[in-house]
Amino acid sequence: MKNIFKTISCWMLALSGVAVMAQESSTSAAALGRISINAYIPPQRDALPSGAENMLTNKLNQILTANGISGSNPRPKFIIVPSIVVTSKDITATAPPMTALSLDVNFYVGDGVEGKLYASKSVSVKGVGANETKAYLDALKNIKANDSGMQSFLSGAKTKIIDYYNARCTQIINEANSMANSLMDYDGALGKLTSVPEECTECYNKAMAAAAPMFRKKIERDCKKIMVEANNLWNANQDWDTANQVGQLLSSVDPEASCYKDAKALSDKIGKRVLEIDKREWNYKMEVDVNLKRDMIKAIRDIGVAYGNGQPKTVVYKSFW
């Protein structure tokens, strides 16, 4: 958790940054561009030949990038899914003979966790190659990432994603409050709140307002846990190596936590004791407010990202569209 937190200069100042975002329409072009959708390729009805799946993944990422969409979420909720149907496969009468393929490539964007479809689009492409694999690659190469039809397809999907969050905003916040208040799972609660995209400006503002007191409770709880561990370590063995272990723990205490003063006192105590028994200076630098200003929203997001990265990597999607 070290370096996740920096000093909060002013909570209201940080929250005012959220309010500014409300001036941007949730459906503006700039807002729609920040929705995160990840590429996902399920098993196909006609098995893809070797190399075709990689090319299809690259093509999906090209489509997302060309339309200003992020695809870097470690545990994506929203996905773009292809389904390929071979409509014809022929061997040409040329010398040498070639394989000619006609493919219908169906694209779907939806909620892979809940199995909800938001938009679909079908593209027909053809390819010719010395074998079936090369014919597949030639056909997939003909999918245009930035044509007007693809742009319209993705824009419609993103608008529906924003509508989803705006419609379920109260439920999301209530679930997060339950995680924080009943289960004391502040990381999970903050992870849920930070899953609301900035594009859903009204819901995003409410989510960040709900996150602020959870963030405060989290740093208070973490500080107390750190102090118990640090004191136990130091009381058990007072030497240079232990001092460094304790110093590393204390350096992760948030300066805004109420027990920060206790952490600083323990640090000073250790420094004096080490000088007595080891005859050398020990001054483990704690994180202090020295011209540091923290963006609270970024700190909360960092916790949400860390929580998502810590979850199991395998995600089972409901992409039966």
Side-chain angles (χ1 to χ4, degrees), residues 41 51-59:
I41 301 179
E53 183 169 337
N54 286 340
M55 184 170 187
L56 185 55
T57 300
N58 291 336
K59 181 61 70 173

Side-chain angles (χ1 to χ4, degrees), residues 76-142:
K77 178 179 178 67
F78 302 108
I79 51 177
I80 180 170
V81 178
S83 175
I84 298 179
V85 177
V86 179
T87 56
S88 69
K89 180 169 71 172
D90 302 297
I91 303 299
T92 66
T94 58
M98 305 283 279
T99 300
L101 287 178
S102 294
L103 309 176
D104 280 347
V105 185
N106 304 298
F107 295 98
Y108 305 96
V109 171
D111 183 331
V113 176
E114 297 187 9
K116 185 177 179 63
L117 175 65
Y118 290 130
S120 62
K121 177 179 175 56
S122 183
V123 176
S124 296
V125 290
K126 296 181 179 181
V128 178
N131 52 47
E132 184 175 339
T133 296
K134 292 184 177 180
Y136 251 100
L137 298 178
D138 188 56
L140 295 176
K141 187 171 60 179
N142 291 320

Side-chain angles (χ1 to χ4, degrees), residues 6-51:
K6 294 179 181 176
T7 302
I8 301 176
S9 321
C10 176
W11 291 84
M12 294 307 295
L13 179 60
L15 286 173
S16 69
V18 181
V20 171
M21 290 195 60
Q23 298 174 10
E24 180 182 330
S25 168
S26 293
T27 56
S28 71
L32 291 176
R34 293 191 298 265
I35 288 286
S36 179
I37 301 174
N38 286 42
Y40 171 66
I41 301 179
Q44 300 293 304
R45 189 181 77 176
D46 300 303
L48 294 174
S50 175

